[in-house]
């Protein structure tokens, strides 16, 4: 059964044991400096290579498409892993009211940004599970749909994918 069909997947995630969270938090705190050093090295290499790539991609559409796919994969791999536990997760694990307020604020802010005449943010939005863990994917979907977002198929155990269907107004 897919997670978007499983009713249990839409409910708030079970509260994780405190000892497990502390262990993951300590590991995350030790891992983050190494991770960000690696990110800086990788992006430094990309920026150094960009001058040559700019010349090559000017003359070849195939090379430009390949460079775009490479940068997409690189960006996805430089994000923090899902196993990392942050301070917010440590402090508010199991606090549904906090996560509901966080979701309300995020949906309102993103709706205001995307409803601008010339929005600076994409019309597609993926909300990671760490932003709605205590509220549940159902709460995210209900709040977003109430403000005009459309739900996209997604694995709600990892993220909720949304799409803003309304075109930007031509005024402005």
């Amino acid at each position: 059964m897919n997670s978007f069909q499983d009713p249990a997947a839409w409910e708030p995630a079970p509260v994780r044991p405190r000892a497990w969270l502390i262990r993951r938090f300590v590991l995350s705190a030790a891992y983050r400096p190494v991770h960000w050093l690696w990110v800086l090295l990788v992006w430094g290499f990309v920026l150094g290579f960009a001058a040559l790539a700019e010349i090559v991609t000017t003359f070849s559409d195939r090379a430009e498409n390949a460079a775009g796919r490479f940068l997409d994969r690189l960006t996805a791999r430089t994000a923090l892993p899902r196993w990392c536990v942050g301070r917010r997760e440590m402090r508010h694990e199991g606090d549904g009211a906090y996560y509901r307020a966080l979701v309300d604020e995020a949906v309102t802010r993103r709706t205001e940004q995307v409803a601008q005449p010339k929005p600076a943010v994409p019309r597609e939005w993926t909300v990671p599970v760490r932003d709605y863990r205590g509220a549940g994917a159902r709460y995210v979907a209900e709040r977003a749909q109430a403000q005009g977002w459309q739900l996209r198929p997604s694995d709600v155990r990892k993220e909720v994918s949304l799409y803003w269907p309304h075109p930007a107004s031509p005024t402005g």
Side-chain angles (χ1 to χ4, degrees):
M1 177 180 289
N2 293 329
S3 68
F4 61 88
Q5 296 172 334
D6 181 14
W10 288 86
E11 299 306 319
V15 177
R16 298 173 286 189
R18 189 80 175 150
W20 185 88
L21 281 173
I22 291 171
R23 186 174 61 239
R24 286 284 171 106
F25 181 74
V26 170
L27 286 171
S28 299
Y31 173 74
R32 280 188 177 151
V34 173
H35 176 79
W36 290 118
L37 180 63
W38 172 249
V39 168
L40 288 174
L41 288 173
V42 167
W43 281 105
F45 170 76
V46 168
L47 290 175
F49 188 69
L52 176 63
E54 183 66 30
I55 294 169
V56 172
T57 59
T58 301
F59 299 110
S60 171
D61 288 337
R62 196 170 102 194
E64 184 174 0
N65 292 338
R69 287 190 307 270
F70 171 74
L71 285 177
D72 287 343
R73 285 194 312 266
L74 185 67
T75 303
R77 292 184 183 183
T78 56
L80 276 174
R82 285 194 324 243
W83 62 262
C84 284
V85 173
R87 186 170 176 251
R88 178 178 71 191
E89 293 169 291
M90 280 285 295
R91 292 184 65 208
H92 298 287
E93 181 70 21
D95 185 2
Y98 172 79
Y99 280 100
R100 285 190 294 275
L102 194 66
V103 167
D104 289 341
E105 179 185 330
V107 170
T108 302
R109 183 179 59 242
R110 186 64 178 232
T111 303
E112 289 171 357
Q113 290 173 345
V114 81
Q116 295 293 320
K118 293 183 181 181
V121 295
R123 292 168 50 169
E124 292 184 8
W125 182 32
T126 303
V127 185
V129 71
R130 67 178 50 183
D131 290 347
Y132 64 82
R133 181 167 189 66
R138 180 183 319 279
Y139 188 80
V140 175
E142 289 171 355
R143 290 298 178 208
Q145 287 175 334
Q147 293 197 20
W149 290 88
Q150 288 182 353
L151 190 60
R152 295 282 185 171
S154 55
D155 185 357
V156 295
R157 290 183 183 103
K158 297 177 185 174
E159 60 191 21
V160 173
S161 296
L162 302 167
Y163 178 75
W164 183 256
H166 310 293
S169 63
T171 61

